[in-house]
Amino acid sequence: MANHDILAIGTSAGGLDALRTLAGGLPDDLAASVLVVLHLPPHFQSSLDAILSQSGPLPATFARDGERCEKRHIYIAPPASHLLIEDRHLRLGYGPRENNARPAIDPLFRSAGLCCGGRSIGVVMTGTLGDGAAGLQALKQCGGVTVVQDPDDATFPEMPATALRQSKPDHVVGLAAMPALLETLVRQPAGAPAEVPELVREEVAIARDGNVRMSHMDRIGRRSVLACPDCHGVLWEIDEGGLVRYRCHVGHAYTAELLSAALDEGLRGAIASAARVLDERIALARRLMEEDRRNGHNGLAESWARKLRDAEKEADVLRAAIRRVDEIAAQALQE
C-alpha cells in the first residue's frame, strides 16, 4: 500500500534556519521525496543544497528538469524557476511569477495535489505575506495532508498565520516537533483518491509553461476593475470560499494582501515620478528666473519666481504623500 511519499515544503523569511532544523530532524530512511521552495531572488548563487546536506542525513540538491523524483532525497527549487512534480518526475516551470516570486510555493503545492493527491503532504513554514495558503488549500482538496508551523513558533508568523486562517490545515505544530510529525505522516497509508478541481489543473499548466488565454481566465474567475501591477493587464478575481486571489491574462498571480502591497508600491512609484518631474520644473524655473534677472527682465523674472514658488509647494505636498505611504507600509508590516 502506498504511503505519503511526497513531502512538499514552502517557506520564505526565516526559512533557512527552519529548513536546517527540519533537515537535521528527518531520518535517513525517510520513505518520501522532500521538495522545498524557499523564496530566492533571480540570479542568486545559493549554497542551500550544501547547507541542508550538512544539516542532516538526507542529500539535498537543486532540482533539474525531467529528473526522476527519488525517496530519501531533498530537492530544492532553483532560483527563477517554479518547482513542479509530474508523474514521479520533477519539472521546472518558467511561467509568470506568483505572489511576486518565482519560485513560488503555491505552484509546488498545486502540482503535488494534481500529481500525487492522497500521497502528498504540504507544509507551510515561517515567512511573510501569504504565498502558500492557496496552494495548501488546493493540495487538501486533492486529498493531501496539510501542515502549518505554529505562527507563535515562527520567526516570521505572517505566512503560516495566513495559511492557518485560509486553508484550515490538518496539523499545526512547532518547529521542534515537526520532524517527528512528518515522519509519522510519511509512514501512514496514502489517502483515498479525490477529484482534482479544474482550477488546479489550469494553474499548474500556467506555472509550467506560461500559456494563458483570456478564455481560460474566464473559466476560473471573473474580470475585475483592477489592473495587474506587473503588466497592467486586466485582473481576474478568483474566489475560493473566502480566499480571494487575482490573476491576469499574462499569468501573474496575487493574493489580495499581496496585491494591496503591490498597489501601494505602484502608488509610491507614481508619486515619486511626479515629484521628480516637479524637481526638474523647479530647477528649470530657477535657472530661467536667474537668467532674466541678469538680463534685466524683471517682469519675466518675477513670473518665473511665482512659478518656482508654486512648484516648490506642490513638491512639498508630494514628498509628504510619499512619507505617508511609507509610514502606512511600515505599519502594515508590524501588524
Side-chain angles (χ1 to χ4, degrees):
M1 183 179 294
N3 63 301
H4 291 102
D5 60 352
I6 300 298
L7 179 52
I9 300 171
T11 185
S12 182
L16 176 58
D17 288 338
L19 288 171
R20 290 176 63 184
T21 298
L22 185 61
L26 294 175
D28 59 2
D29 61 347
L30 185 73
S33 304
V34 183
L35 281 57
V36 172
V37 169
L38 171 65
H39 289 155
L40 295 172
H43 314 299
F44 178 69
Q45 201 67 22
S46 174
S47 57
L48 183 59
D49 52 346
I51 292 171
L52 296 187
S53 294
Q54 294 167 5
S55 298
L58 301 180
T61 56
F62 283 100
R64 301 189 303 273
D65 189 53
E67 180 178 11
R68 181 171 175 79
C69 194
E70 302 291 349
K71 297 179 180 179
R72 297 180 290 279
H73 197 106
I74 300 173
Y75 299 95
I76 307 165
S81 303
H82 295 308
L83 176 58
L84 311 171
I85 180 168
E86 180 181 289
D87 297 328
R88 296 296 310 183
H89 288 79
L90 301 176
R91 299 295 180 190
L92 299 184
Y94 300 100
R97 293 181 298 171
E98 293 201 26
N99 298 316
N100 211 29
R102 189 177 64 197
I105 301 167
D106 284 336
L108 170 61
F109 287 166
R110 292 191 196 105
S111 73
L114 174 61
C115 165
C116 311
R119 292 166 36 218
S120 60
I121 302 170
V123 182
V124 170
M125 300 172 68
T126 174
T128 58
L129 299 175
D131 192 21
L136 201 68
Q137 180 170 296
L139 185 146
K140 187 173 185 178
Q141 290 174 332
C142 295
V145 177
T146 54
V147 180
V148 169
Q149 183 180 1
D150 186 342
D152 292 336
D153 177 69
T155 306
F156 292 86
E158 187 176 3
M159 200 164 78
T162 302
L164 178 60
R165 182 176 64 253
Q166 302 287 7
S167 64
K168 299 178 175 59
D170 300 307
H171 302 274
V172 179
V173 66
L175 181 59
M178 190 173 288
L181 171 64
L182 296 180
E183 182 181 1
T184 298
L185 294 176
V186 164
R187 295 182 185 279
Q188 292 177 353
E195 184 177 353
V196 176
E198 187 60 29
L199 175 60
V200 174
R201 296 183 186 276
E202 294 275 5
E203 294 195 289
V204 169
I206 292 171
R208 184 180 61 242
D209 50 40
N211 290 336
V212 189
R213 295 188 179 94
M214 289 189 176
S215 59
H216 290 171
M217 295 307 306
D218 284 332
R219 288 200 299 270
I220 65 177
R222 60 179 178 272
R223 300 188 190 204
S224 75
V225 298
L226 303 174
C228 175
D230 275 301
C231 65
H232 309 296
V234 174
L235 282 170
W236 276 255
E237 184 175 289
I238 303 169
D239 190 344
E240 298 177 298
L243 177 59
V244 178
R245 298 185 291 117
Y246 294 87
R247 190 184 281 277
C248 73
H249 68 275
V250 173
H252 302 118
Y254 290 89
T255 64
E257 291 81 3
L258 273 164
L259 177 61
S260 176
L263 291 175
D264 287 345
E265 184 177 343
L267 174 62
R268 188 193 190 285
I271 298 174
S273 294
R276 175 186 55 78
V277 173
L278 277 172
D279 284 340
E280 293 171 354
R281 184 180 174 189
I282 289 168
L284 180 60
R286 180 175 288 111
R287 186 177 187 282
L288 292 172
M289 177 189 69
E290 292 171 351
E291 184 175 341
D292 283 336
R293 282 177 177 169
R294 282 196 303 270
N295 294 329
H297 302 149
N298 293 331
L300 290 175
E302 183 55 33
S303 174
W304 283 118
R306 287 194 299 270
K307 292 179 181 179
L308 174 61
R309 289 192 294 270
D310 290 343
E312 287 176 334
K313 290 178 182 178
E314 292 169 1
D316 287 341
V317 171
L318 290 181
R319 292 189 187 97
I322 292 173
R323 287 195 298 272
R324 182 55 183 155
V325 170
D326 289 342
E327 289 172 3
I328 292 172
Q331 289 168 2
L333 290 174
Q334 294 169 4
E335 291 176 354

